[in-house]
Amino acid sequence: MSSLRFKAAEAAVSRSLDYVGKVESLKATSIYSKNVFTIAKMNDYLSKNTYKELLQLIESGSQISRDIADHIAQAMKVWALENGASHYTHWFQPLTGTTAEKHDAFFEPDGNGNAIEKFTGDSLAQQEPDASSFPNGGIRNTFEARGYTAWDPSSPAFIFETVAGKTLCIPTVFVSYTGESLDYKTPLLKATAAIDKAAIDVVQYFDRSVSKVTASLGIEQEYFLVDLSLFNARPDLQMTGRTLFGHISAKGQQLEDHYFGAIPERVLAYMVDLENESLKLGIPLKTRHNEVAPSQFECAPMFEEINLAIDHNQLLMNVMEQVAVRHNFKVLLHEKPYSGVNGSGKHNNWSLITNTGVNLLSPGKTPKNNLMFLTFFVNTIKAVFDNAELLRASIASHSNDHRLGANEAPPAIISIFLGSQLDEILEEVESARVAKKVKNEANLWHGIPKIPQLKMDNTDRNRTSPFAFTGNKFEFRAVGSSANSASPMTVLNAIVAAQLIEFKTEVDKQIKKGTKKDLALLNVVRKYIKDSKAIRFEGNGYSDEWAVEAEARGLANNKTTPKALDVYVKEGSLALFEKLGVYSRRESEARHEILLENFYKKIQIEARVIEDVVTSQIAPACFQYQNQLIENVKGLKEMGLDGAAYSSQLNLVERISKHTNLILEQVEAMRQARKTANVIEDVREKAISYDEVVKPYFDDIRYHVNKLEKIVDDKKWPLPKLRELLFLR
Ligand code: ADP
Ligand code: MG
């Protein structure tokens, strides 16, 4: 078996420059959206009337008529066939966390022995994949397994190319036959509609010409690359996305020589290829660089409307994996593939932008604009303060648990970093001194401090904060690298929507009582600044002192997923989501169950992989080396040498015995713990048992395996070592 490791290492080294010179950066403007059925292409392929109706439909989000659907399907088919597509599929985002598709050919026998290419409005608008094989949290009862996917016209169809052909992909929602959402997109669209509406209502205080507000999102994506052969020689990476064993590499990120360093050529070739493919799919990738850990990188697109940005990120993750294999790489999107070096996140940069082009989170030039800025800024802070636990739940997963609070990523405590400038401005607005000044309406504008245009450089320096304001947007940094951003963004949109609705109620009440509008706005803003103070933290989020202080402030610190998820089914959350139409109670409960199930199943798989690799690969390698040492000792004894001549060997033999016995014992104990957990009926209890009883064995076993890795003859060690995974390419 150990030969697989060495073959892999050899392969990794010898192909190091395979791709250099074979990939060229294509001109972005000539390939951008080449494989997308864009609005501009719709204009070319649709009649004037249908085109107009479609635009209205996208704008209003209303139901599409059968007739229009047929026209659009026809146009899409023509475009897709012209571009070489043979199949079409509804493309959706079930709660498995990946994307799903079921391909159908554009083809139908015509009854006369020939075939015609066919695609109807019905096939565009709706498909019926069997929902029973996707997670549904008990929503599906046994006699109604059907679910259906329905077209989302706000996200354009695209052609996905593979070596096996081209497929027209139609972004869709996925719901049960009884109408409950079974995916990430449906609730996101609902929460986005809620915030758009709530924000428009509040913007009216400042600017009546605004008729639409759009939540925007730019997602920074971190990832690791590893040589494909080395990856394939690690069953743990293959099965779970992370290494379950491995002594930390002697050189890791201590020298900080990787961050923003020169990109290795083989990696650069991958990045260029990735950018070409992404641009063709309309994903506006703009930046690429090395990250902190060895073999860790990041890419980021230009921000877009939130639903599109998330579809694009899901698609980007597909493309990253596809292109990686071409370059004999495997891309690791797991939050913590290696111990001893940083994990990966997915920063979600979020803002609200009006149809008049104003970013509501951008400080203005005039006092009036600043009051508008403060309104949205402070309402977001208040929403995060009131619902910090929901935000924490929205990013909870088994893989992200390894990263949050691991002294390299934001802690599980949600706090907000504003930067000293804005922090002081909020202090000033809140302070009595200002309050006195604005008693008189004429002095109102003196009550609002001048807010200079902020330099991003000044605001982005606290990397330890899970939720930071960075100049003209909030950046939610605690999101895991493998996550579907729809989960946190649904929550963020929903809580800010609910907050804006409440804000408007309070302001209107004051206006009704005779307070002038601007003063009423400022009064409520000031109250919110006071109320939400505890969530603001400018210091080091990684420090132990912060955990202590946060507790004193009453902030939640839900360290593990099963408990962090509790808030999803608390009365306040159920009511909030129900009121906004984001999740019905049944949907909230189902989702909670699915997330818990997903959580314990991941640990279950890891435990099985550990058991398998320890008993069938690691222990045998240790015994082999031990035998060799024993032979050696025997030989020395036979030669008549005394104990001093082989004391080191004997010592090694003993150490190998000790650690090997321990890992085998622990694996057995872990199996028993798993058995106990498996019979627990209640899914939350089961998840907690897996987390608190089964999982702790992982670290213990890893510790002893790593000791053995240090002792056993390198030639006999079966698994590629972390230094090889991180540095061979
Ligand atoms: P960083 O310094 O964190 O790398 P960047 O300025 O490069 O930040 O932006 C990171 C991401 O934020 C990009 O995807 C970018 O398009 C996005 N972004 C910039 N402005 C906004 C905005 N107003 N709303 C949402 N996302 C934005
Ligand atoms: Mg960032």
Side-chain angles (χ1 to χ4, degrees):
M1 197 55 194
S2 71
S3 66
L4 182 56
R5 171 178 160 219
F6 290 101
K7 275 189 201 139
E10 241 169 63
V13 175
S14 65
R15 64 169 150 247
S16 60
L17 293 178
D18 265 5
Y19 249 86
V20 178
K22 287 196 194 143
V23 180
E24 62 175 320
S25 193
L26 301 175
K27 197 170 162 211
T29 47
S30 62
I31 55 167
Y32 185 59
S33 287
K34 181 173 166 275
N35 290 343
V36 184
F37 196 52
T38 56
I39 301 272
K41 282 177 198 140
M42 289 183 195
N43 195 9
D44 293 345
Y45 283 79
L46 288 168
S47 74
K48 259 212 173 67
N49 279 341
T50 313
Y51 175 68
K52 255 208 217 136
E53 281 190 53
L54 178 65
L55 288 192
Q56 272 166 10
L57 192 111
I58 293 173
E59 182 77 19
S60 65
S62 49
Q63 192 81 33
I64 183 170
S65 76
R66 171 79 189 265
D67 191 38
I68 296 286
D70 273 335
H71 279 106
I72 297 167
Q74 178 62 22
M76 238 183 227
K77 184 189 80 181
V78 172
W79 171 75
L81 291 173
E82 274 175 16
N83 285 280
S86 58
H87 287 67
Y88 66 91
T89 180
H90 279 196
W91 182 78
F92 57 105
Q93 297 164 29
L95 296 168
T96 50
T98 52
T99 57
E101 41 197 78
K102 172 176 163 253
H103 297 199
D104 277 301
F106 282 119
F107 136 94
E108 209 155 279
D110 68 355
N112 301 321
N114 298 318
I116 52 166
E117 277 147 346
K118 198 167 166 193
F119 183 51
T120 62
D122 282 348
S123 323
L124 166 66
Q126 196 165 314
Q127 265 189 344
E128 285 191 20
D130 184 351
S132 60
S133 319
F134 290 105
N136 56 58
I139 276 178
R140 170 190 66 87
N141 45 34
T142 38
F143 55 87
E144 189 49 276
R146 279 181 300 171
Y148 63 90
T149 51
W151 182 37
D152 166 20
S154 63
S155 182
F158 56 89
I159 292 173
F160 197 76
E161 294 182 62
T162 67
V163 283
K166 297 182 181 180
T167 304
L168 172 69
C169 298
I170 298 152
T172 58
V173 296
F174 180 39
V175 292
S176 77
Y177 213 71
T178 40
E180 281 96 359
S181 62
L182 295 174
D183 68 347
Y184 283 105
K185 189 191 261 278
T186 312
L188 175 77
L189 289 173
K190 290 174 173 172
T192 305
I195 195 173
D196 287 1
K197 163 133 195 6
I200 293 169
D201 288 348
V202 171
V203 175
Q204 300 306 307
Y205 290 126
F206 307 94
D207 183 353
R208 296 198 159 273
S209 69
V210 172
S211 59
K212 190 165 170 58
V213 175
T214 305
S216 300
L217 180 66
I219 300 176
E220 300 163 59
Q221 178 73 53
E222 291 178 332
Y223 61 97
F224 281 86
L225 286 174
V226 60
D227 187 88
L228 188 58
S229 297
L230 290 168
F231 170 83
N232 283 329
R234 289 285 310 215
D236 48 355
L237 267 184
Q238 259 184 342
M239 302 288 151
T240 72
R242 72 183 183 109
T243 52
L244 298 166
F245 319 96
H247 202 281
I248 60 172
S249 175
K251 176 176 186 292
Q253 60 192 47
Q254 310 92 317
L255 303 177
E256 298 176 336
D257 50 355
H258 193 252
Y259 190 56
F260 281 13
I263 300 172
E265 287 214 57
R266 185 177 167 203
V267 173
L268 193 56
Y270 165 74
M271 287 176 169
V272 169
D273 209 0
L274 172 64
E275 283 166 1
N276 289 342
E277 294 305 323
S278 300
L279 287 169
K280 286 190 215 163
L281 287 162
I283 305 167
L285 272 196
K286 266 187 82 99
T287 59
R288 58 183 184 213
H289 61 77
N290 285 0
E291 259 304 325
V292 173
S295 283
Q296 190 188 28
F297 309 93
E298 179 185 303
C299 59
M302 215 8 232
F303 68 92
E304 299 177 287
E305 186 278 320
I306 199 161
N307 173 42
L308 189 59
I310 290 172
D311 278 0
H312 277 167
N313 179 252
Q314 289 296 116
L315 186 54
L316 175 70
M317 291 195 286
N318 294 165
V319 179
M320 288 171 89
E321 295 191 334
Q322 184 198 30
V323 174
V325 174
R326 276 190 221 163
H327 292 256
N328 288 307
F329 277 131
K330 183 76 190 176
V331 65
L332 304 177
L333 294 166
H334 193 286
E335 281 74 2
K336 190 76 182 169
Y338 306 113
S339 62
V341 295
N342 278 6
S344 301
K346 180 181 305 212
H347 296 181
N348 280 219
N349 296 269
W350 175 91
S351 71
L352 294 169
I353 298 176
T354 68
N355 61 326
T356 52
V358 176
N359 177 353
L360 296 170
L361 290 174
S362 194
K365 291 212 171 68
T366 65
K368 195 180 172 69
N369 280 345
N370 277 336
L371 185 55
M372 182 165 82
F373 162 73
L374 280 174
T375 294
F376 285 92
F377 184 61
V378 169
N379 270 289
T380 307
I381 296 170
K382 175 76 161 41
V384 172
F385 171 70
D386 286 341
N387 302 284
E389 283 194 276
L390 270 182
L391 274 179
R392 165 67 183 99
S394 76
I395 51 161
S397 69
H398 171 49
S399 48
N400 211 18
D401 277 0
H402 290 288
R403 170 178 165 263
L404 293 183
N407 279 352
E408 44 149 290
I413 309 160
I414 301 289
S415 66
I416 302 184
F417 171 82
L418 300 179
S420 56
Q421 219 174 358
L422 276 166
D423 200 56
E424 277 163 27
I425 282 165
L426 291 196
E427 297 283 342
E428 214 177 304
V429 176
E430 185 197 335
S431 73
R433 186 168 49 79
V434 172
K436 219 176 269 165
K437 267 202 262 173
V438 296
K439 277 231 169 92
N440 177 353
E441 170 76 5
N443 282 336
L444 172 73
W445 302 119
H446 302 295
I448 303 173
K450 283 210 174 59
I451 307 176
Q453 285 285 316
L454 302 166
K455 277 222 185 94
M456 309 269 180
D457 291 354
N458 291 338
T459 58
D460 196 27
R461 288 300 155 238
N462 192 334
R463 304 197 117 242
T464 68
S465 176
F467 202 93
F469 187 72
T470 50
N472 61 1
K473 59 189 166 26
F474 280 101
E475 187 168 334
F476 192 13
R477 293 167 166 164
V479 185
S481 50
S482 68
N484 185 322
S485 285
S487 171
M489 291 302 108
T490 297
V491 168
L492 183 60
N493 284 351
I495 62 176
V496 177
Q499 180 56 58
L500 288 170
I501 292 168
E502 191 183 311
F503 175 77
K504 185 166 166 17
T505 310
E506 291 195 51
V507 171
D508 285 350
K509 210 190 270 169
Q510 291 204 16
I511 294 175
K512 224 175 183 177
K513 279 194 198 144
T515 311
K516 282 273 183 352
K517 182 181 80 181
D518 291 331
L519 192 53
L521 286 165
L522 191 59
N523 285 340
V524 181
V525 163
R526 185 181 298 120
K527 177 164 151 289
Y528 286 177
I529 294 175
K530 260 194 204 119
D531 292 349
S532 61
K533 238 177 159 168
I535 199 88
R536 278 156 53 198
F537 178 60
E538 301 288 303
N540 178 6
Y542 297 172
S543 68
D544 295 334
E545 296 84 63
W546 169 230
V548 176
E549 188 188 329
E551 193 179 348
R553 289 187 187 193
L555 299 180
N557 185 2
N558 298 322
K559 290 195 180 112
T560 61
T561 292
K563 290 179 182 166
L565 292 175
D566 283 347
V567 66
Y568 268 150
V569 287
K570 282 195 182 144
E571 177 52 33
S573 321
L574 294 172
L576 174 109
F577 288 129
E578 186 176 47
K579 192 177 72 191
L580 293 169
V582 174
Y583 296 122
S584 68
R585 281 167 190 259
R586 189 158 172 229
E587 286 171 327
S588 284
E589 277 154 11
R591 214 155 276 248
H592 179 240
E593 192 181 312
I594 291 166
L595 291 167
L596 287 168
E597 244 172 45
N598 198 299
F599 176 84
Y600 84 72
K601 283 181 182 165
K602 293 240 161 97
I603 299 183
Q604 195 173 51
I605 292 169
E606 290 185 342
R608 287 182 181 149
V609 172
I610 289 174
E611 187 179 324
D612 181 22
V613 175
V614 163
T615 28
S616 68
Q617 287 188 263
I618 292 171
C622 295
F623 294 143
Q624 260 188 31
Y625 181 54
Q626 200 177 33
N627 277 341
Q628 196 180 319
L629 290 168
I630 292 169
E631 286 304 314
N632 179 278
V633 171
K634 274 190 198 154
L636 293 171
K637 247 185 181 164
E638 269 168 29
M639 285 169 68
L641 296 180
D642 71 5
Y646 46 82
S647 67
S648 308
Q649 289 93 316
L650 276 182
N651 180 269
L652 281 177
V653 169
E654 274 168 28
R655 279 165 67 199
I656 292 172
S657 281
K658 183 183 106 186
H659 294 299
T660 317
N661 281 332
L662 276 168
I663 57 175
L664 290 173
E665 274 167 31
Q666 303 259 33
V667 159
E668 182 50 35
M670 180 169 74
R671 202 148 59 97
Q672 295 307 324
R674 222 154 28 85
K675 275 192 180 160
T676 314
N678 283 344
V679 295
I680 299 174
E681 287 273 335
D682 180 80
V683 65
R684 178 178 178 274
E685 291 305 317
K686 191 181 215 162
I688 291 176
S689 180
Y690 262 99
D691 193 39
E692 294 179 359
V693 186
V694 178
K695 205 172 91 177
Y697 284 103
F698 295 6
D699 279 346
D700 258 4
I701 296 172
R702 182 195 277 260
Y703 174 83
H704 293 289
V705 168
N706 293 353
K707 290 278 176 212
L708 288 163
E709 183 189 312
K710 288 287 224 189
I711 304 173
V712 171
D713 181 2
D714 185 62
K715 287 197 286 298
K716 290 202 161 48
W717 194 253
L719 304 171
K721 297 185 174 177
L722 292 201
R723 70 173 141 76
E724 294 166 332
L725 297 169
L726 287 167
F727 289 99
L728 284 191
R729 51 168 185 248

